[in-house]
Amino acid sequence: MTINLHDFDGEHSLTLNAGGLAADVAVAAAGHEPNGYFWEGLVQFAWPDIAEELDFDSEGGMFCAVGNPSDLTRLKAALEAVITSSEAVRDIIARAESSGFEFDD
C-alpha cells in the first residue's frame, strides 16, 4: 500500500509516497504538482478537523503527518479513497479553489 502508518519509539506518523498515484493525472491537469506539499494542503482543506490535530513534515516526494494513532487511522481511510480516484481529487481541488484556498505545491 502506498500509505504507511509508523510507530517509531512512540511517535506515530503516516507517510504517503508522492508520485505514481492514480490521482496524479487529475492533480497535474488542475495545474498542481502532485508532491508531498500538495497532499498536505489537500488534507488541510478537505479534513480540517483531522489536520488541526496533526503536525506535518512533508517533502517533495513524500507527504508526512505526525499525530496520535486514532487521527492517523482516520486520515489513512480518508486518503485511500482520494488517491485512487481522479474524480474525488478534482472535486476537492475545485472546492478548494472556489473557496480561495491556495495549495503550496
Side-chain angles (χ1 to χ4, degrees):
M1 176 50 68
T2 307
I3 301 173
N4 296 296
L5 293 171
H6 308 276
D7 176 359
F8 185 73
D9 288 339
E11 180 175 271
H12 301 274
S13 63
L14 175 151
T15 58
L16 164 67
N17 292 324
L21 302 172
D24 286 355
V25 172
V27 174
H32 297 286
E33 183 70 33
N35 59 28
Y37 303 112
F38 167 82
W39 291 107
E40 184 174 318
L42 184 132
V43 166
Q44 291 172 337
F45 175 79
W47 305 289
D49 58 321
I50 299 174
E52 71 184 16
E53 301 297 324
L54 303 173
D55 293 317
F56 297 97
D57 189 21
S58 299
E59 302 173 357
M62 179 185 70
F63 165 79
C64 179
V66 179
N68 71 54
S70 173
D71 291 328
L72 294 171
T73 300
R74 288 175 53 215
L75 178 60
K76 182 177 188 280
L79 276 172
E80 284 174 340
V82 172
I83 64 170
T84 58
S85 170
S86 294
E87 185 176 317
V89 169
R90 278 193 296 271
D91 177 61
I92 293 170
I93 291 171
R95 287 188 292 120
E97 290 176 346
S98 69
S99 76
F101 183 87
E102 291 190 26
F103 290 92
D104 183 23
D105 56 328

